Every structure is written in C-alpha cells, then in structure tokens.
Amino acid sequence: MALTPNEVNQLCDRVLAAQRGAYAIPKLTDDFPAMTVDDGYAVQAALRRRLCAEGRRQAGWKIGLTSKAKMQQMGVSVPSIGFLMEDTARADGSTISTQDLVHPRVECEIAFFTKAELRGPDCTAEQVLAATDYVVPAIEIIDSRFSGFKFDLPSVIADNGSSARFVPGSTRHTVDALDLRAIHVSLEKNGEPVVAGVSDAVLGNPAIAIAMLVNLLAVQGESLPAESFVMSGAITEAIPVKAGDSIRAKFDGMGSVNIQFDAA
Ligand code: OOG
Ligand code: MG
C-alpha cells in the first residue's frame, strides 16, 4: 500500500463528492501515482463503510472487466470487483434519470442470486452453480467519475468499478435450465441494434467470474453471503447513452430488459 489511512479517507471523500455531484474528476493516480490495486480496494472499502453508516443497504457485488471486449475498451487487463447498493437498483421497464450521472454507459450482463454463502480462496464455478438460486438477464449502467471515462486499475477500483445503477430483468431461470456459456445477447438503442455477443466472452462462463469475485472477496477477508445479487460482468463493450434514449437488451432464452433515459 502506498496511501496512508488519511489519504484513503481523503480519496473516499473525493470519489463520493464526484458520485453525488455527478461531475468528472481526474483519475486518482494523477495525484497519487504510486497508488496500488490494494489502495484502490482500501478506498472502495471506505466508501462502502461510509454508505452503510448512512443507513444504506448493500444488495450484493459486481465483477467487471471480465471480457476481452471490455478489457480492450478500457485498456485494463485484470478483472475488478465492486459493491452494489440497494438504492441504485432500478426496475425493468423504468425510466432512469441522466441528470445525476456524468457520462453513463450501458452493458448486458447475467446476474446471479445466491441461496447459500460462498467463501474463497478456492471457490469454483461448480460451487457457484450449486449456491445459485436463480439467474436473470440484467443491464448495468456504469458511469466512471473520471474525465473522459479514462482510468487505470487502482483508480477504477476506488470508484467502485464505475458502479452507478443496475436493472435486474424480471424473468428468473434456474441454472440447470440454461447453458450459461451460450447465451446470445444483443443490445438495441432507440430500436437499432448496436452491439451483440455471447456469454462465454465472460471468462468462458459467467459462473467462473462469480467464483473469481468470491476469491477476490476472500483476499479482503470477506465471504459472499446468501441472498446476494451478483453481476457477472459485461458480455460486450459498454454503449454510451443520453437523455431520451431507450435501451432493449435481449438475452436469447432468458428474456429481455428494457429501460429509458430521461433528464427529469
Ligand atoms: C469498469 C466497470 C466494468 C464490466 O462489467 O466490465 C464493468 C468500467 O468499464 O468503467 O462493470
Ligand atoms: Mg459491468
């Protein structure tokens, strides 16, 4: 670790202010070039403690940068995890405000809801599948707080993996009813197809990404509690959106998720 506890708190304040004020800031490593991935997780943990101390509740976790398309888009080569708060969930079919976001992007993911605790450091995809109650198609709205959506790994981890909003789809599926490696997804913006992919883009199988998340949590001395909602990472690159856009994410055999964006 390169940051002092004081600096960790200072960066937590900086990120939280940018999240709440919906403004972009320079990536944190511009001021703290020696900052490490562990420092990023220390800032993220401070952020989570701060929100929980305000009485907000955590819904689960997310892992990101798990597909080649995303790693190439963001110039980062290692997956990262972040937390999801209940008050950032939005319903399928809802209208989402862009006014409290900086430069939002949307991405298609498979989300898992767990029925048993999962614990690293040796969690496997098989254990994940056994502990999964159901999976749903989902949209994640990411919104880096960094100027130009440009960052490095320590900075994006401190910014909670660009987490902004998440939209679980309404159709639940048990894992034995699906081949999680072969879900074709396509994203339409304002009725036009913009990007498509197959779920094996996420580390070969999104269940492997969840196992990796559990193992990364273990490094922080934590387990994944039962009844966690977990996003397994974008299948394709993320697509920028603005007020007035409508988005439909279609997951073959799983259903679709629809949202619109509004200035109000
Ligand atoms: C980091 C978050 C990546 C995913 O699913 O890959 C992510 C970013 O690209 O801003 O959520
Ligand atoms: Mg994501």
Side-chain angles (χ1 to χ4, degrees):
M1 301 249 314
L3 301 182
T4 65
N6 217 5
E7 287 168 334
V8 168
N9 277 327
Q10 194 185 317
L11 291 183
C12 171
D13 290 342
R14 200 187 280 192
V15 169
L16 196 57
Q19 288 183 0
R20 293 198 163 148
Y23 58 81
I25 54 175
K27 64 180 191 304
L28 305 181
T29 44
D30 287 0
D31 278 350
F32 295 91
M35 191 179 164
T36 64
V37 163
D38 286 348
D39 289 315
Y41 280 117
V43 176
Q44 185 187 114
L47 203 55
R48 183 161 69 108
R49 280 195 302 272
R50 193 80 67 85
L51 297 176
C52 290
E54 290 176 1
R56 291 149 191 274
R57 289 167 49 127
Q58 189 175 350
W61 291 91
K62 60 168 281 181
I63 183 162
L65 304 166
T66 43
S67 74
K68 284 214 174 65
K70 281 288 307 192
M71 288 187 190
Q72 268 162 12
Q73 182 183 25
M74 305 323 300
V76 168
S77 60
V78 179
S80 64
I81 65 170
F83 59 83
L84 299 172
M85 299 305 285
E86 269 182 12
D87 58 6
T88 63
R90 295 292 178 271
D92 187 7
S94 63
T95 299
I96 295 172
S97 168
T98 52
Q99 229 142 309
D100 46 2
L101 300 173
V102 188
H103 38 203
R105 295 181 178 181
V106 293
E107 45 191 32
C108 304
E109 307 197 13
I110 294 172
F112 291 61
F113 192 80
T114 61
K115 59 184 175 191
E117 187 191 35
L118 283 164
R119 214 173 249 290
D122 300 310
C123 180
T124 63
E126 289 67 34
Q127 289 170 351
V128 169
L129 294 173
T132 300
D133 194 359
Y134 56 85
V135 291
V136 290
I139 293 176
E140 182 177 24
I141 297 139
I142 53 169
D143 189 33
S144 176
R145 268 54 66 162
F146 302 123
S147 312
F149 228 109
K150 292 242 160 42
F151 48 68
D152 43 32
L153 202 53
S155 296
V156 68
I157 289 168
D159 186 28
N160 194 25
S162 310
S163 170
R165 310 281 180 262
F166 64 98
V167 186
S170 20
T171 43
R172 299 177 176 185
H173 305 267
T174 56
V175 286
D176 48 10
L178 294 170
D179 182 354
L180 281 176
R181 299 163 301 182
I183 310 292
H184 289 251
V185 306
S186 59
L187 191 89
E188 285 174 15
K189 180 157 101 170
N190 305 324
E192 299 290 330
V194 281
V195 76
V198 183
S199 56
D200 68 351
V202 177
L203 299 175
N205 183 337
I208 297 175
I210 304 296
M212 184 182 274
L213 181 148
V214 170
N215 293 333
L216 285 167
L217 276 179
V219 176
Q220 300 181 51
E222 293 207 42
S223 65
L224 183 71
E227 303 191 3
S228 290
F229 181 83
V230 199
M231 304 278 296
S232 60
I235 294 166
T236 63
E237 66 187 79
I239 302 300
V241 287
K242 54 179 180 5
D245 285 342
S246 65
I247 295 291
R248 169 185 291 258
K250 291 197 284 191
F251 293 67
D252 281 0
M254 289 186 78
S256 55
V257 189
N258 298 283
I259 47 173
Q260 342 187 54
F261 289 90
D262 200 347

